[in-house]
């Protein structure tokens, strides 16, 4: 099975110096590519000098995550794409369990490995942890991470199971499915584009899996810090775009209204905390959503599966019921 490991890069020479060696050393089955978003640092010269086996695909400008991958993958021939952040450290034999699952399960289209925190390696990492889900209002959460609460890895998610979304930090997908779905949505630029892609795959009947046999470590926030207002803007805007595209028609407007009310509450909370830039980011996100609504609505597919969530409101369980561990949501011991 032909696999391409594709690392998106923009002025990330320090990350490449630190993390590219593990990818090269532990990926003998793969062809490794760096998709460069028109870097102005020495990224390209570094790769050519120290890792001549790594192939380089040059984008003409900084296209962000979504368009950056969409453009680069047009030039890469493989059965499986492994989209890997530049701040990921992989481990020995990380590819074998993933490839075995793809070979044995033809209905499985997307797979995520176990993602642990590079800085605290006994804990799950925010972006994906042990596989993602969303609630009725589109709020994402993970096995091992609900909002900002991260669980310690004690083997509680050492399994292979179906999930709703796989993290873009380390995202495996069949190239045929990627092309069928027309890749990531360019309008997202960055953040939640992988959840949108997984939701579209789910609506078409594909399976998304988590495989704990593959382990990687993620720094997280290496390109845009968790508390940056731009991240707030992109997350709030893209979440509304994602709901517009993928919600069942009969639930679309009621869920959107509920989500907007919850966004308003979040904005008021930012105001009371003195985080005025984040409050303004939410206002800008809603303004951008209104501008893009008509275009986004036209992207809806013919079928939207109503069974997209297994928790009605993760906001309620986390902030009201004080449940911060995934297994406690379902009484799993």
């Amino acid at each position: 099975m032909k696999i391409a490991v594709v690392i998106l890069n923009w002025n990330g020479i320090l990350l490449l110096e630190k993390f590219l060696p593990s990818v090269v050393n532990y990926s003998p089955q793969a062809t490794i590519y760096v998709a460069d978003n028109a870097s102005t640092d020495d990224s390209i010269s570094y790769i050519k000098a120290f890792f001549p086996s790594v192939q380089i695909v040059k984008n003409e400008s900084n296209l962000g995550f979504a368009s950056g991958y969409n453009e680069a993958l047009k030039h890469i021939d493989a059965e499986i794409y492994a989209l890997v952040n530049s701040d990921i450290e992989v481990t020995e034999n990380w590819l074998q369990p993933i490839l075995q699952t793809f070979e044995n399960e033809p209905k499985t289209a997307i797979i995520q490995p176990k993602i642990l925190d590079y800085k605290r390696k006994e804990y799950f990492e925010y972006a994906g942890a042990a596989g993602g889900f969303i609630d009725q209002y589109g709020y994402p959460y993970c096995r091992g991470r609900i909002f900002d609460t991260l669980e310690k890895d004690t083997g509680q998610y050492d399994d292979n199971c179906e999930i709703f979304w796989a993290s873009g930090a380390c995202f495996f997908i069949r190239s045929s499915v990627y092309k069928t779905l027309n890749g990531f949505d360019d309008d997202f630029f960055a953040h939640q584009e992988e959840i949108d892609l997984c939701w579209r795959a789910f609506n078409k009947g594909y399976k998304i899996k988590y495989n704990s046999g593959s382990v990687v470590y993620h720094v997280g926030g290496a390109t845009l810090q968790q508390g940056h207002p731009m991240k707030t803007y992109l997350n709030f805007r893209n979440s509304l775009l994602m709901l517009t595209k993928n919600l069942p028609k009969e639930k679309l407007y009621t869920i959107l209204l509920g989500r907007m009310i919850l966004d308003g509450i979040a904005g008021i909370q930012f105001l009371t905390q003195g985080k005025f830039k984040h409050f303004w980011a939410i206002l800008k996100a809603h303004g951008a959503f209104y501008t893009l609504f008509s275009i986004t609505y036209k992207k809806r597919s013919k079928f939207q599966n109503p069974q997209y969530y297994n928790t009605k409101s993760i906001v309620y369980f986390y902030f009201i019921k004080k449940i911060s561990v995934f297994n406690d949501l379902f009484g799993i011991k």
Side-chain angles (χ1 to χ4, degrees):
M1 186 169 278
K2 191 175 180 181
I3 181 170
V5 174
V6 188
I7 301 168
L8 191 66
N9 175 68
W10 180 70
N11 289 345
I13 185 171
L14 296 179
L15 295 174
L16 292 173
E17 288 174 346
K18 191 166 189 175
F19 296 108
L20 185 56
S22 74
V23 179
V24 172
N25 291 337
Y26 294 139
S27 310
Q29 316 94 316
T31 303
I32 301 169
Y33 297 81
V34 168
D36 188 74
N37 263 341
S39 293
T40 56
D41 65 0
D42 293 326
S43 295
I44 300 300
S45 57
Y46 167 76
I47 296 166
K48 289 180 177 178
F50 293 97
F51 296 99
S53 65
V54 174
Q55 300 191 35
I56 300 167
V57 179
K58 294 182 180 181
N59 292 332
E60 292 184 359
S61 61
N62 181 11
L63 300 173
F65 186 97
S67 295
Y69 269 124
N70 286 344
E71 182 60 31
L73 293 178
K74 293 176 184 177
H75 308 285
I76 296 173
D77 178 36
E79 295 172 81
I80 304 296
Y81 297 143
L83 311 184
V84 181
N85 275 18
S86 58
D87 59 348
I88 288 275
E89 179 185 73
V90 306
T91 60
E92 192 171 0
N93 299 319
W94 71 298
L95 291 177
Q96 284 89 329
I98 304 293
L99 292 174
Q100 187 175 15
T101 301
F102 277 127
E103 288 170 354
N104 295 337
E105 300 179 16
K107 288 288 187 181
T108 296
I110 299 168
I111 303 176
Q112 179 200 300
K114 178 190 283 191
I115 302 178
L116 299 176
D117 192 330
Y118 178 79
K119 298 171 185 174
R120 297 191 305 164
K121 293 193 172 182
E122 70 275 20
Y123 282 85
F124 287 99
E125 207 279 318
Y126 183 93
F133 296 86
I134 60 171
D135 75 357
Q136 187 178 23
Y137 298 95
Y139 286 102
Y141 61 101
C142 308
R143 302 198 313 160
R145 190 273 295 174
I146 300 178
F147 288 105
D148 292 330
T149 301
L150 297 167
E151 295 180 40
K152 189 173 185 178
D153 177 21
T154 60
Q156 70 271 43
Y157 305 119
D158 282 354
D159 56 8
N160 303 326
C161 70
E162 250 183 271
I163 55 177
F164 185 75
W165 60 269
S167 171
C170 193
F171 186 95
F172 292 81
I173 185 169
R174 295 184 189 273
S175 60
S176 58
V177 175
Y178 191 90
K179 292 169 185 174
T180 296
L181 297 171
N182 295 315
F184 295 116
D185 188 329
D186 290 332
D187 287 335
F188 280 51
F189 186 77
H191 295 295
Q192 299 203 30
E193 64 285 294
E194 79 270 42
I195 305 178
D196 169 67
L197 182 63
C198 287
W199 199 341
R200 287 186 279 128
F202 172 76
N203 280 337
K204 286 189 175 294
Y206 294 112
K207 291 184 178 181
I208 299 115
K209 300 289 287 286
Y210 160 78
N211 191 317
S212 65
S214 176
V215 179
V216 302
Y217 296 94
H218 184 215
V219 174
T223 54
L224 195 58
Q225 291 296 322
Q226 185 62 27
H228 198 288
M230 178 56 74
K231 186 182 285 281
T232 299
Y233 167 78
L234 290 170
N235 277 327
F236 277 81
R237 185 199 67 171
N238 291 352
S239 187
L240 292 171
L241 296 178
M242 178 177 67
L243 290 169
T244 301
K245 289 174 63 177
N246 298 297
L247 280 172
K249 190 172 184 179
E250 63 275 11
K251 294 183 177 181
L252 175 60
Y253 293 105
T254 54
I255 295 298
L256 275 177
L257 177 61
R259 178 57 190 262
M260 287 177 170
I261 292 171
L262 290 169
D263 285 359
I265 294 171
I268 292 170
Q269 186 178 28
F270 281 135
L271 272 180
T272 60
Q273 295 171 348
K275 297 179 179 179
F276 303 111
K277 290 183 179 180
H278 292 274
F279 171 76
W280 180 242
I282 293 177
L283 289 181
K284 287 197 335 185
H286 279 234
F289 166 66
Y290 300 142
T291 301
L292 291 169
F293 178 81
S294 178
I295 295 171
T296 304
Y297 187 86
K298 292 176 183 177
K299 296 177 184 178
R300 290 172 58 83
S301 63
K302 293 181 179 179
F303 174 75
Q304 288 82 29
N305 192 328
Q307 308 300 321
Y308 65 91
Y309 65 93
N310 56 9
T311 302
K312 187 172 183 179
S313 175
I314 196 65
V315 173
Y316 169 77
F317 281 110
Y318 185 81
F319 291 102
I320 306 301
K321 299 292 288 183
K322 304 299 181 183
I323 294 176
S324 59
V325 175
F326 179 89
N327 281 341
D328 289 348
L329 291 171
F330 309 102
I332 300 172
K333 302 297 183 181

